[in-house]
Every structure is written in structure tokens, then in C-alpha cells.
Amino acid sequence: MHASTRPSRVIVVGGGIFGVSTALHLARLGVRTIVINDGPLANGASGRSLAWLNSARRRSDAYHRLRLAGIDRYRTLAAKYPDARWLRFDGGLTWDADNDRNEIAEVFEYERNLGYHALLLAPSKIAETTPGVDASTVTPQGAKFNPGEGWVDLPSLIGVLAEEFKALGGEIVTDAGRATVNVEEGRARGVTTSNGARWDADAVLLAAGGAVPAIVAEAGQHIADGTPIALLVRTKPIKHPLKAVLNTPRVAIRPTPDGGFALDSAWSEEEVGVNPDGSYAIKPSTLEGLLLEASKVLEGNPKLELADYGVGPKPIPGDGDPVFGELQAIPGYFVAFSHSGATLGLIAGELLADEIATGKRHPLLANFRPERFSK
């Protein structure tokens, strides 16, 4: 770690969950912090995330531990806001396609051996555990239910965190345009935004979602990028008993605070086109297809109506693992770039703020340093 003195001022670039969470934790530590975003808060990936809180299926031990710590922080938050409609822990139900790649039984055993709470359910047993599912659509291999999982509405959460941040004296600047990190005499000295404004600081956290690799490349640094374009569809409110998050072969579903559902899938992402001007092309058949696939797996097969949708980059590093911490070659230049922003949002903000404020590296982030991509 390069930082040897407590910074007197920190700039956070990005108004998503990583940026606002870190900014709030810095403010709680008494560090003067400014959040700068290219648009309104939560206008990027945080605004179009399925936001499933989990550590399901297989991943490295280090990543699993970090995700469990992330879920733990949400448990603490849920105790503080017990009536919040934007944070729920009603479990997650998953089933795989009926083919030779179905691994539900194997994943159940894997999770059980880790101590990750999991139940393997035959289709006939699903209704008593997870109301709201059309069990006839569950494949014969059954489904895996994880009672400790949940979901969060990130725009709502970011709003709550931002209010506390401002109450602690933090400053939020929106609609500032794209930011470039100023590197002078070998270290980060602040940012300049496309509207011409310059903001000086002792340290900078770049938490600009899918733009992170391109922005660090301006300083001659490399972070491998696997960012795809993602689509999230939101339905109009409907009276329905489903409370859990569903992950099925053709659609993932989670409830929304207003009584609707948020939907995404791998196949619908593949159907998103990019126009020559950089805008996105969404076919009506893709939106209709997601609504239909969701209706098929919901009890009663209700008619779902489109409320709106979000489309844009889904930040994923090239090797799939998170990237957190200070750039080894540039003191004072920190990054946060990861998939699973919802699950990791609170814990990443806490640990990054501590590193920025104290100069001490946290062992939970040891496997996720940006220097692993150094050429």
C-alpha cells in the first residue's frame, strides 16, 4: 500500500453502489469526500441489476468468503430497516435445464459441504417451500432452494446511503460528464470532467462501472475487461405470491418494491444490438419473450405487462473475479470494478474506505488486486 498518511480529501468517481457505499464509509471515518457522477445517481449498472444477494454455485474460496461477508452486511442493514420494501431475504430457487449439463444435485452437495444453506426439492415439494412457482415447469432433477438468499433494489438503497452521506457533510455532483483521473508526479491528484471542471484530491476511487478499464488505460494501466451488454426488464405491478428470487433455464426473476418483477436472462442479452452511434437496439420480440418466459414459471401463468427496461454495460472483469484496491503503479489511485455489485456493494465500500483512510490492505481483498493484470 502506497498511502502513508490519512487523505484530507477523496474524490469518488461513480454514483453506483460501489461509489456511494465507499463514499459513505469514508464520511463515517471523517474523511472529506466528493462523489462525482456523469449523470444522476444509479444511472449505470446499479440501476439495471437483478441484484440477487447470494454466493450460490461454485467459485473460489476467497470469492465465497467475500460474498458471505457482503450478505452479512445486508443482514445488519435489514435489522436497521426491518420494514424496507427494497431489501428482502426470502430465499432463492434455482433449477437447470433438462439435459446432460444439469448439475443441480452436484451443486447442492457442493454448497452443503461448504455449510451454505441449501435444500434439494422435488417439483412436488416446491409449493410448500417457495409459493408462487409453477412446479410443472421445474425439470425432473428438481430445484435447489437457498433460504438465506435475498434481493435488494439498488436505486432505493443508493438513495438511503446518499442521504446519510450528505448528512455527514459529503458532497454529490451529478451530470458532470465523463471523468479522467489526473495523474501528476506519479500519483493520483484528482479528476477532470468533460464539462471542464477540475477537482483536486489526495486520493481517487474510480467506480465507474464498465468504463473502468478504459479510464485506467488512459494512465497506462491494464485491467482485463469481459463486460457484456445486459438487459433488465421490469413489469407492471401484479398481485402474486412469489417472494423468492428465481433462477431458471430461460429467465431469472425477482420481485420489485412496487409489486412487479425484474427479469433477465442470458439469451436476451445476446439479442441486444449496438447501433453505429453507440445506442442499443432492443427488439420487441426480446421484451415479449422475457415476459412470456417469466409467465410460464409463475404460478397461474399470469399475464405480465412491460413497465420499462434498462440496457447497458454489465461490469465484469476479464477473469470474472472482482478488482478492488489501489493501482500498484500509481499511489492514491483506487479502483472498484466487479460483477455482483449488489452482493458486494456494502462490504466492498467498507473495506475500500478503510484502505483509503488508513493505508492498510485488508486480507479479504488480497486475491482481487488490480496488479494481477499487470503485463
Side-chain angles (χ1 to χ4, degrees):
M1 192 76 175
H2 298 290
S4 58
T5 59
R6 183 184 182 89
S8 61
R9 176 161 145 153
V10 175
I11 302 295
V12 173
V13 178
I17 186 57
F18 287 142
V20 174
S21 174
T22 306
L24 173 56
H25 282 96
L26 283 165
R28 288 173 176 172
L29 293 171
V31 178
R32 184 185 177 195
T33 306
I34 302 173
V35 174
I36 297 176
N37 199 45
D38 58 356
L41 295 181
N43 67 323
S46 291
R48 51 179 185 270
S49 169
L50 189 70
W52 169 34
L53 305 177
N54 78 95
S55 188
R57 304 192 87 106
R58 296 184 176 95
R59 53 182 48 83
S60 70
D61 289 343
Y63 198 3
H64 181 61
R65 287 194 299 272
L66 185 61
R67 292 172 75 102
L68 290 180
I71 295 170
D72 172 77
R73 298 308 189 271
Y74 278 103
R75 291 283 183 188
T76 302
L77 190 68
K80 183 178 180 180
Y81 298 99
D83 299 321
R85 295 177 61 85
W86 43 265
L87 175 60
R88 301 293 306 170
F89 281 98
D90 295 305
L93 185 75
T94 301
W95 68 89
D96 289 352
D98 185 14
N99 56 39
D100 58 5
R101 294 188 297 277
N102 188 300
E103 58 175 9
I104 282 296
E106 291 83 356
V107 170
F108 163 71
E109 285 294 330
Y110 176 81
E111 292 179 354
R112 194 171 70 90
N113 290 340
L114 286 177
Y116 189 71
H117 197 183
L119 306 172
L120 186 61
L121 304 176
S124 62
K125 298 295 184 181
I126 288 174
E128 61 193 63
T129 304
T130 315
V133 177
D134 185 340
S136 70
T137 63
V138 179
T139 46
Q141 297 88 343
K144 175 178 65 70
F145 182 64
N146 299 107
E149 296 178 352
W151 59 269
V152 62
D153 183 73
L154 284 178
S156 299
L157 171 59
I158 288 168
V160 170
L161 301 182
E163 286 304 310
E164 182 183 348
F165 173 66
K166 290 186 289 186
L168 291 172
E171 182 180 352
I172 297 175
V173 179
T174 57
D175 302 307
R178 187 182 188 277
T180 297
V181 179
N182 301 327
V183 178
E184 300 167 1
E185 299 178 347
R187 67 170 297 121
R189 297 292 185 183
V191 304
T192 299
T193 54
S194 59
N195 62 5
R198 178 186 170 96
W199 309 80
D200 294 325
D202 303 305
V204 174
L205 170 67
L206 179 63
V212 167
I215 295 175
V216 300
E218 295 171 355
Q221 303 301 300
H222 174 67
I223 295 176
D225 188 15
T227 297
I229 302 302
L231 169 69
L232 185 81
V233 166
R234 287 171 287 260
T235 76
K236 293 180 179 179
I238 183 173
K239 188 175 182 179
H240 197 272
L242 182 73
K243 294 182 178 180
V245 178
L246 298 187
N247 285 274
T248 82
R250 292 286 294 172
V251 66
I253 307 174
R254 71 142 165 98
T256 58
D258 67 356
F261 295 113
L263 318 173
D264 74 5
S265 72
W267 65 264
S268 58
E269 288 184 2
E270 295 172 356
E271 293 188 2
V272 176
V274 181
N275 297 316
D277 64 357
S279 62
Y280 301 109
I282 310 297
K283 295 182 291 186
S285 60
T286 302
L287 303 176
E288 293 165 4
L290 264 179
L291 295 171
L292 179 60
E293 294 291 351
S295 175
K296 288 178 182 178
V297 301
L298 292 173
E299 178 184 296
N301 308 127
K303 178 176 175 56
L304 300 177
E305 297 183 61
L306 177 70
D308 60 17
Y309 65 87
V311 61
K314 177 165 65 177
I316 300 180
D319 62 3
D321 279 352
V323 184
F324 294 130
E326 190 177 29
L327 296 177
Q328 193 173 46
I330 307 176
Y333 194 150
F334 294 80
V335 297
F337 177 54
S338 180
H339 185 37
S340 306
T343 301
L344 300 180
L346 298 181
I347 188 63
E350 176 186 326
L351 300 183
L352 284 167
D354 188 67
E355 291 195 351
I356 294 168
T358 69
K360 298 177 181 178
R361 286 189 164 204
H362 197 286
L364 268 180
L365 301 183
N367 291 77
F368 309 115
R369 301 294 176 187
E371 57 259 31
R372 72 181 188 268
F373 297 113
S374 298
K375 293 182 180 179

